[in-house]
Amino acid sequence: MDKLVIVGGKALEGETRISGAKNATLPILAACLLAEGPSLVRNVPHLHDVTTSIELLSGMGVRVTLADGMGLEVDAGAVDNVHAPYDLVKTMRASILVLGPLVARFGRADVSLPGGCAIGSRPVNLHIDGLAAMGADIRVENGYIRASAGRLKGARIVLETVTVTGTENLMMAATLAEGTTVIENAAREPEVVDLACFLNRMGARVQGAGTDTLVIEGVKRLHGTEYEVMPDRIETGTYLIAGAITGGLITLKNIRQGTLDAVLAKLQEAGAQIRCADNMITLDMRGRRPRAVDVRTAPYPAFPTDMQAQFMALNAIAEGTATMVETVFENRYMHVQEMERMGADIRVQGNVAVVHGVERLTGAPVMATDLRASAGLVLGALVAEGETEVDRIYHIDRGYECIEEKLGQLGACIRRIPQ
Ligand code: UD1
């Protein structure tokens, strides 16, 4: 397993480019299952989760070919099975996103249940209940979700919890259903909107994306299209914190400002000066120590749970004390113990973490536990005195494209040690 070795203490300066959004790419690739012809998806990030998606779709008979650099051509014209095996699903929970498209287009699906995951139990009951409401017959047996259906029927679905992939799965399924589907309490994340735009380009009729009510009028068939995936807002936020935590001056290209409001507000509260223009953002924190900022995670447009670990790193060296509340996942503080090994002062009780900012962190060997937790550790390492070795960085490779290259472009002292 590769490691990252980081020598902290350098103020970052320079610019780098933000990649396509992982959490938009994964549902868009799954949505290609709905179309009879090939689609060209551009701005696809080179990430381990994307490779897993390609493997999953290829196993079903979908033809996926590389097109000019960051594009993928995806053709689901000759799907010959509807099986999503445990071996792949267990490495990437988002594999569940094939469930809705498979049932809608082929009337069958055989998708492994994802099982537990480091940040909490993460059930998929709402995906299953929603498809059942559209008329699918669903059994869970031998660890698999086995679904069969004739043409799905439009339904009114009220989600009891806001779920991102749940909303996406049901929205995709509804595009080919007979009649109109209304999804209430839908997720409003920008990635849901990106998926809806992609579906509409394929001939779907989805309205209301970005609000909590989606109205989907089913159509008989969808066609392939061309689409450019939106920039990754979590990657953007992570690099902005890298600039802020080190007292740097950085510019990020290919960003989408409107998707970052809650994160930018917190960075400004921490003392950062931020300027946006033409899909670029510049953060200036030179000569200043961040101020502690309270954070409460919740579904979009509130503060994203996927930025909680990174802000904890910022709070760890900030002036003052911050209270952080995680309301989305029950066990998303596994980075705390690792940050404490670097000298952070954090007390956790239930879903509340109180972070007393310290003057300095010190380098230490630490272990990545999940994707965003590992990003938090890398950020801590950038400002820690001495050398930090971050182990198990396959978690980072799931969601951050070339992290050592991009941080290197910004002047960080970071190298990968292949194992
Ligand atoms: C997605 C994102 C992930 C992000 C999360 C929350 C992708 C590929 N992943 O994950 O990066 O951290 O949103 O913003 O887009 N729940 C249920 N029943 C269900 C489904 C969910 O109870 O059937 C609960 C979960 O346990 C959790 C909450 O709903 O407490 C939100 O989870 P959800 O939005 O579904 O997360 P994901 O879609 O898996």
Side-chain angles (χ1 to χ4, degrees):
M1 276 180 263
D2 292 6
K3 292 179 183 177
L4 284 178
V5 176
I6 299 162
V7 180
K10 268 190 89 180
L12 298 194
E13 267 188 43
E15 58 178 53
T16 192
R17 183 185 182 279
I18 294 304
S19 302
K22 169 179 91 73
N23 286 356
T25 303
L26 301 179
I28 284 173
L29 292 181
C32 291
L33 281 167
L34 291 162
E36 289 169 13
S39 288
L40 179 58
V41 185
R42 298 189 198 275
N43 202 28
V44 173
H46 185 60
L47 296 173
H48 201 261
D49 273 6
V50 172
T51 311
T52 306
S53 272
I54 294 173
E55 223 177 302
L56 183 68
L57 293 172
S58 304
M60 295 173 181
V62 177
R63 239 192 47 229
V64 186
T65 40
L66 215 57
D68 65 19
M70 285 177 301
L72 286 180
E73 190 178 281
V74 188
D75 185 353
V79 168
D80 54 19
N81 80 82
V82 293
H83 184 65
Y86 177 60
D87 279 352
L88 287 178
V89 178
K90 75 174 182 207
T91 64
M92 186 184 73
R93 292 183 44 84
S95 309
I96 191 74
L97 285 164
V98 298
L99 179 64
L102 286 175
V103 180
R105 175 147 175 243
F106 304 104
R108 284 179 308 121
D110 187 27
V111 177
S112 170
L113 273 171
C117 113
I119 63 175
S121 70
R122 297 181 83 174
V124 290
N125 56 310
L126 301 173
H127 305 229
I128 294 176
D129 294 351
L131 287 172
M134 284 189 246
D137 177 22
I138 304 194
R139 285 167 297 136
V140 175
E141 53 185 24
N142 309 112
Y144 277 78
I145 304 167
R146 303 218 149 104
S148 59
R151 187 172 178 204
L152 293 174
K153 295 206 166 36
R156 179 166 175 267
I157 298 164
V158 182
L159 294 171
E160 91 190 12
T161 306
V162 178
T163 159
V164 176
T165 50
T167 301
E168 292 167 343
N169 235 337
L170 300 177
M171 173 166 72
M172 289 189 281
T175 58
L176 289 179
E178 189 185 337
T180 302
T181 298
V182 178
I183 305 174
E184 307 259 20
N185 200 25
R188 291 181 279 167
E189 267 65 5
E191 294 78 12
V192 175
V193 179
D194 215 35
L195 173 63
C197 292
F198 177 67
L199 292 168
N200 286 342
R201 291 270 278 271
M202 292 169 108
R205 297 196 187 137
V206 179
Q207 284 181 338
T211 75
D212 61 5
T213 305
L214 294 174
V215 180
I216 304 125
E217 205 185 308
V219 297
K220 284 222 167 98
R221 58 182 57 86
L222 296 176
H223 52 78
T225 188
E226 271 193 48
Y227 195 73
E228 180 163 328
V229 176
M230 65 177 280
D232 197 309
R233 67 192 165 102
I234 304 300
E235 191 196 22
T236 309
T238 303
Y239 285 105
L240 288 176
I241 294 190
I245 204 169
T246 60
L249 170 64
I250 62 161
T251 295
L252 306 176
K253 293 182 289 187
N254 186 40
I255 64 113
R256 195 178 288 174
Q257 187 195 350
T259 61
L260 291 159
D261 292 350
V263 167
L264 296 188
K266 287 292 162 189
L267 280 166
Q268 280 164 330
E269 203 181 314
Q273 284 170 9
I274 289 172
R275 269 179 294 119
C276 296
D278 299 336
N279 302 333
M280 300 216 297
I281 188 164
T282 298
L283 174 140
D284 187 352
M285 193 72 171
R286 284 172 298 176
R288 294 192 298 285
R289 180 182 175 193
R291 290 189 292 270
V293 284
D294 293 340
V295 159
R296 182 186 180 86
T297 69
Y300 192 86
F303 185 89
T305 174
D306 283 353
M307 286 300 301
Q308 178 255 104
Q310 299 90 317
F311 264 82
M312 188 173 280
L314 188 76
N315 280 329
I317 53 96
E319 196 177 333
T321 297
T323 303
M324 305 186 67
V325 186
E326 171 58 61
T327 76
V328 180
F329 291 114
E330 73 232 28
N331 186 25
R332 209 168 194 183
Y333 284 138
M334 281 183 319
H335 41 284
V336 168
Q337 285 189 349
E338 300 301 303
M339 287 182 184
E340 282 174 344
R341 303 189 64 251
M342 300 171 78
D345 179 358
I346 305 167
R347 298 278 173 277
V348 175
Q349 199 155 38
N351 67 340
V352 179
V354 177
V355 188
H356 296 286
V358 294
E359 295 264 337
R360 62 190 184 106
L361 296 175
T362 48
V366 291
M367 192 134 73
T369 49
D370 71 68
L371 169 56
R372 305 305 171 185
S374 22
L377 297 178
V378 168
L379 292 171
L382 289 174
V383 73
E385 263 175 27
E387 190 175 278
T388 295
E389 208 176 271
V390 186
D391 200 356
R392 298 204 180 169
I393 58 156
Y394 58 87
H395 289 293
I396 298 188
D397 295 333
R398 285 189 41 219
Y400 290 91
E401 184 173 50
C402 305
I403 191 166
E404 70 274 24
E405 272 175 40
K406 291 189 183 186
L407 285 173
Q409 279 166 7
L410 297 172
C413 180
I414 179 169
R415 66 181 201 279
R416 178 182 290 255
I417 304 188
Q419 298 280 305

